């Protein structure tokens, strides 16, 4: 038994004892119905044997038919026995389901409550629905089949013994061998089931977190890392499924040994049994015991115990053992992340990096940007040539033949009514959206179809909903600048007024939990991350919408003072006033100029200015 399985059993044993102790009445009634089932199994084979030996072979057909009638009554009474068993079974399984639902809800509430570990409990839905139902069904099947096998086997073996002891000599060895082989597979199958369930949950969590951060992942050029992580998780899930299938094959072999060899052995040993005084009726009764009672019960036991038993152990451990995980999670989280970096799981970055270094050095992104060998002073930082974008063949274009040229180091603001195409423009420049026609260039190179790593070296896109992951504060700030030293991080924190937040989180080595940050605090973290990036172009798509005007001004001034080009989709008129130039999109034509020029030349800009001022 693995240490994980031993720990699971230790955690589950006290809960199981308490649960059963409160239901002694139900268990006693279930045992009484099971005794009736045992008697039924005994009567069927015994009556068949007596009908042959004492009736038909003895020349007394009436006696033979009488014994067959006894067997028929025993078979028909089985329906009443099964009904009684299932009625008592509900008294055990339904309370179990209700208790597991309460445990799962309590665990999720404790996680979200003040003082809890925080974060999104994505496995809660699985525990409340799929895992609870698996536990209920598996427990019911296990109780039903274990009870049935024990009492049916007792009745059948007692019947074989009553017919002739030699029958047990032939039947028991293959029966025991198959059962032993089956028991050997239980522990490995439980471990394989645990790995398969964990792999399935990890894959689901990764898909959920990646889907929630698709835009940020595309803007940051981290899709390859997410894709590799997803491929690894798929491979892990496939390997776990193959292992589980292998042990299932061994279990099937055990079922074949226990389910077919006893009948074959009995057929082969007929002559030997006849020589030891076994009558024809006893042989027929023995076959009846095997085919009608013992082997079906054994088959059901192996199927249920092999599948339901391992599933039940794993699922109960994940539901009931979750409380222990909740208690220790807070204690171990910081230590684990400090030693290994943030893992690629929900709310964590796909490829963790070490960011707190004593001395700065050349970054990977800088090296990639330098590989373009572009003279930034000789070419525009951003250039759009007759760019048109339509969302559909018959749809009106969002941008129609737009020409734009942004000089290196320029601060450009983009304004216009909601839905006019401002976010579309930033996506086109970032290279995450391809134009219907025309060309988009950044630093003199087309961005459409360019590899994500090259795009990440050229630009950073910060959206409205900032992406912050669970992990150290320093890792969050320097995610796009792997070689940022502590002095650079401290300077950036001061420039954006982020000091109080960093201090509250425990410094640069403190842990960020996204759920505990306000939208504005998450935006500031993402803006500092963009500020530290070596990319020469920053694109802010209303990335300051959750900041107050003073914080917005401070952030934009810090970003504008950074070496490189800044393009801001304005949330307030003050952003346009601070910019070198402003691009006005009105759905008909685009105008570009300074604040004063646009007040004079653009009616829409004058209307927007009046609206913002009011």
């Amino acid at each position: 038994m693995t240490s994980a399985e031993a720990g699971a059993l230790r955690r589950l044993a006290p809960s199981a004892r308490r649960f059963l102790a409160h239901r002694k009445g139900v268990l006693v009634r279930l045992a009484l119905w099971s005794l009736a089932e045992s008697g039924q199994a005994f009567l069927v084979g015994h009556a068949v044997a007596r009908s042959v030996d004492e009736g038909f072979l003895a020349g007394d057909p009436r006696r033979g038919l009488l014994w067959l009638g006894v067997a028929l009554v025993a078979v028909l009474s089985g329906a009443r026995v099964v009904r009684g068993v299932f009625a008592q079974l509900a008294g055990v399984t339904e309370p179990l389901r209700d208790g597991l639902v309460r445990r799962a809800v309590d665990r999720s509430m404790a996680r979200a409550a003040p003082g809890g570990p925080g974060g999104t409990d994505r496995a809660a839905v699985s525990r409340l629905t799929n895992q609870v139902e698996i536990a209920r069904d598996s427990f019911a099947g296990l109780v039903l089949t274990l009870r049935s096998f024990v009492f049916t086997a007792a009745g059948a073996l007692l019947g074989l013994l009553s017919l002739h002891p030699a029958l047990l000599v032939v039947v028991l060895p293959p029966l025991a061998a198959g059962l032993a082989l089956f028991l050997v597979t239980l522990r490995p199958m439980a471990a394989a089931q645990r790995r398969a369930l964990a792999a399935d949950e990890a894959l689901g969590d990764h898909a959920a977190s990646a889907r929630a951060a698709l835009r940020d992942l595309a803007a940051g050029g981290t899709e390859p890392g997410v894709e590799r992580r997803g491929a690894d998780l798929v491979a892990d899930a496939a390997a776990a499924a193959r292992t589980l299938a292998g042990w299932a094959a061994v279990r099937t072999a055990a079922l074949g040994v226990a389910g077919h060899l006893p009948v074959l052995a009995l057929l082969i040993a007929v002559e030997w049994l006849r020589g030891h005084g076994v009558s024809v009726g006893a042989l027929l009764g023995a076959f009846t015991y095997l085919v009608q009672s013992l082997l079906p019960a054994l088959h059901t036991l192996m199927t249920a115990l092999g599948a339901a038993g391992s599933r039940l152990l794993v699922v109960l451990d994940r539901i009931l053992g979750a409380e222990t995980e909740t208690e220790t999670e807070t204690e171990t989280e910081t230590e684990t992340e400090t030693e290994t970096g943030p893992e690629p799981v929900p709310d964590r970055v796909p490829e963790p990096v070490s960011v707190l270094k004593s001395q700065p050095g050349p970054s990977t992104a800088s090296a990639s940007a330098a590989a373009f060998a572009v003279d930034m002073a000789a070419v525009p930082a951003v250039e759009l040539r007759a760019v048109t974008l339509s969302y559909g063949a018959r749809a009106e274009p969002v941008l129609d033949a737009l020409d734009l040229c942004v000089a290196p180091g320029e601060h450009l603001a983009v304004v216009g009514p909601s839905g006019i195409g401002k976010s579309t423009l930033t996506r086109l420049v970032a290279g995450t959206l391809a134009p219907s026609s025309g060309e988009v260039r950044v630093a003199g190179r087309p961005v459409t179809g360019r590899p994500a790593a090259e795009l990440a070296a050229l630009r950073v896109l910060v959206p409205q909903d900032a992406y912050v992951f669970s992990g150290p504060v320093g890792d969050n700030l320097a995610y796009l600048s792997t070689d940022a030293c502590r002095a650079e991080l401290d300077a950036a924190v001061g420039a954006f007024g982020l000091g109080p937040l960093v201090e509250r989180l425990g410094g640069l080595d403190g842990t960020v939990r996204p759920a505990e940050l306000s939208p504005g605090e998450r935006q500031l973290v993402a803006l500092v991350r963009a500020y530290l990036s070596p990319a020469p172009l920053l694109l802010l798509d209303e990335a300051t919408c959750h900041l107050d005007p003073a914080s917005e001004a401070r952030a934009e001034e810090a970003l504008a003072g950074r070496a490189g080009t800044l393009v801001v989709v304005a949330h307030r008129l003050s952003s346009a006033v601070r910019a070198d130039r402003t691009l006005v999109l009105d759905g008909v034509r685009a105008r570009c100029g300074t604040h004063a020029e646009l007040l004079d030349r653009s009616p829409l800009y004058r209307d927007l200015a009046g609206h913002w001022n009011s």
Side-chain angles (χ1 to χ4, degrees):
M1 179 179 291
T2 65
S3 59
E5 291 169 337
L9 289 176
R10 284 194 299 270
R11 286 192 296 269
L12 297 178
S15 299
R17 286 195 295 267
R18 289 193 300 270
F19 178 80
L20 296 176
H22 287 84
R23 287 157 183 84
K24 292 180 181 178
V26 175
L27 295 177
V28 169
R29 290 191 294 273
L30 191 60
L32 291 176
W33 280 109
S34 299
L35 281 174
E37 187 174 3
S38 181
Q40 177 206 12
F42 175 84
L43 277 177
V44 172
H46 192 81
V48 169
R50 291 291 179 266
S51 70
V52 173
D53 287 340
E54 298 176 6
F56 300 114
L57 290 182
D60 189 352
R62 292 183 59 186
R63 191 177 183 84
L65 290 174
L66 180 63
W67 277 112
L68 286 181
V70 172
L72 179 62
V73 171
V75 170
L76 293 178
S77 67
R80 182 72 182 89
V81 171
V82 170
R83 180 180 177 183
V85 166
F86 273 92
Q88 300 306 317
L89 188 64
V92 179
T93 57
E94 294 310 308
L96 173 72
R97 178 186 180 279
D98 295 341
L100 292 178
V101 169
R102 284 193 295 271
R103 289 289 188 94
V105 171
D106 290 345
R107 187 269 172 103
S108 296
M109 295 297 290
R111 184 184 185 97
T120 302
D121 187 8
R122 290 189 174 92
V125 174
S126 176
R127 282 194 293 270
L128 282 171
T129 55
N130 187 40
Q131 294 184 26
V132 167
E133 291 304 317
I134 287 176
R136 193 264 302 269
D137 295 343
S138 299
F139 180 69
L142 206 57
V143 171
L144 190 65
T145 53
L146 277 173
R147 173 210 56 80
S148 177
F149 175 75
V150 170
F151 287 93
T152 300
L157 293 176
L158 185 62
L160 287 172
L161 181 63
S162 69
L163 294 178
H164 201 287
L167 293 171
L168 292 178
V169 175
V170 175
V171 170
L172 276 182
L175 198 65
L179 189 58
L181 180 60
F182 166 74
L183 293 176
V184 168
T185 67
L186 288 181
R187 291 174 181 174
M189 279 199 71
Q193 185 74 42
R194 183 187 305 277
R195 288 192 295 271
L197 186 57
D200 182 60
E201 286 185 354
L203 183 58
D205 284 345
H206 175 78
S209 62
R211 183 174 63 249
L214 280 177
R215 181 173 182 180
D216 299 314
L217 294 173
T222 55
E223 305 103 311
V226 176
E227 184 179 355
R228 286 194 299 271
R229 176 60 179 167
D232 291 341
L233 290 174
V234 170
D236 290 344
R242 285 193 295 268
T243 302
L244 190 60
W247 283 110
V250 177
R251 189 194 67 195
T252 303
L255 183 61
V257 172
H260 299 290
L261 281 186
V263 176
L264 183 60
L266 199 58
L267 288 172
I268 294 173
V270 165
E271 186 175 353
W272 179 82
L273 290 171
R274 292 287 292 156
H276 284 74
V278 179
S279 65
V280 174
L283 284 172
L284 187 57
F287 280 111
T288 302
Y289 279 127
L290 287 177
V291 176
Q292 294 296 323
S293 300
L294 192 57
L295 296 185
L298 182 63
H299 182 279
T300 304
L301 172 73
M302 288 187 173
T303 302
L305 198 60
S310 58
R311 285 200 305 267
L312 180 63
L313 177 64
V314 172
V315 172
L316 284 181
D317 183 40
R318 299 194 75 83
I319 297 175
L320 300 181
E323 294 182 355
T324 303
E325 294 172 12
T326 302
E327 295 170 0
T328 59
E329 189 176 43
T330 304
E331 300 174 4
T332 59
E333 185 180 31
T334 301
E335 179 182 354
T336 301
E337 291 175 349
T338 301
E339 293 176 354
T340 64
E343 292 291 334
V345 294
D347 294 326
R348 298 175 184 260
V349 289
E351 292 182 306
V353 293
S354 176
V355 299
L356 299 181
K357 298 186 178 182
S358 59
Q359 297 295 333
S363 67
T364 304
S366 297
S368 299
F372 287 106
V374 176
D375 183 1
M376 297 298 293
V379 297
V382 176
E383 186 177 11
L384 277 67
R385 300 176 179 176
V387 169
T388 298
L389 189 284
S390 298
Y391 292 105
R394 298 180 181 274
E396 289 292 326
V398 179
L399 299 175
D400 191 6
L402 176 63
D403 292 311
L404 178 66
C405 185
V406 183
E410 186 176 5
H411 178 185
L412 177 75
V414 182
V415 301
S418 178
I420 203 65
K422 302 186 295 295
S423 295
T424 298
L425 176 62
T426 60
R427 293 179 61 194
L428 287 168
V429 175
T432 61
L433 184 65
S436 303
S437 63
E439 185 178 41
V440 180
R441 289 175 172 264
V442 173
R445 293 296 186 94
V447 296
T448 303
R450 190 164 295 282
E454 294 183 5
L455 289 175
L458 287 179
R459 88 291 179 268
V460 173
L461 172 61
V462 184
Q464 287 181 336
D465 299 318
Y467 175 56
V468 179
F469 55 86
S470 296
V473 176
D475 283 9
N476 267 277
L477 298 179
Y479 178 46
L480 300 178
S481 180
T482 59
D483 293 305
C485 66
R486 186 176 292 270
E488 291 173 318
L489 293 178
D490 290 336
V493 167
F496 284 80
L498 206 61
L501 173 62
V502 173
E503 183 178 354
R504 190 186 85 206
L505 296 176
L508 294 177
D509 295 322
T511 300
V512 173
R513 293 186 177 90
E516 298 177 0
L517 300 184
S518 69
E521 289 171 336
R522 289 197 292 269
Q523 280 189 323
L524 281 174
V525 171
L527 290 172
V528 172
R529 181 189 301 157
Y531 175 82
L532 291 168
S533 167
L537 172 63
L538 298 188
L539 303 167
L540 308 186
D541 185 5
E542 295 198 35
T544 60
C545 62
H546 296 298
L547 301 181
D548 58 77
S551 298
E552 179 186 59
R554 184 172 187 170
E556 287 187 1
E557 287 172 3
L559 292 170
R562 162 190 186 276
T565 305
L566 178 64
V567 177
V568 179
V569 174
H571 179 67
R572 298 182 178 92
L573 178 63
S574 52
S575 294
V577 174
R578 284 189 292 267
D580 298 326
R581 287 191 303 157
T582 299
L583 173 68
V584 182
L585 300 178
D586 61 6
V588 179
R589 58 175 298 182
R591 295 181 182 272
C592 194
T594 65
H595 174 67
E597 290 172 344
L598 291 173
L599 286 175
D600 182 55
R601 296 182 352 214
S602 172
L604 174 60
Y605 188 77
R606 287 195 298 272
D607 290 343
L608 292 174
H611 171 72
W612 271 321
N613 288 331
S614 64

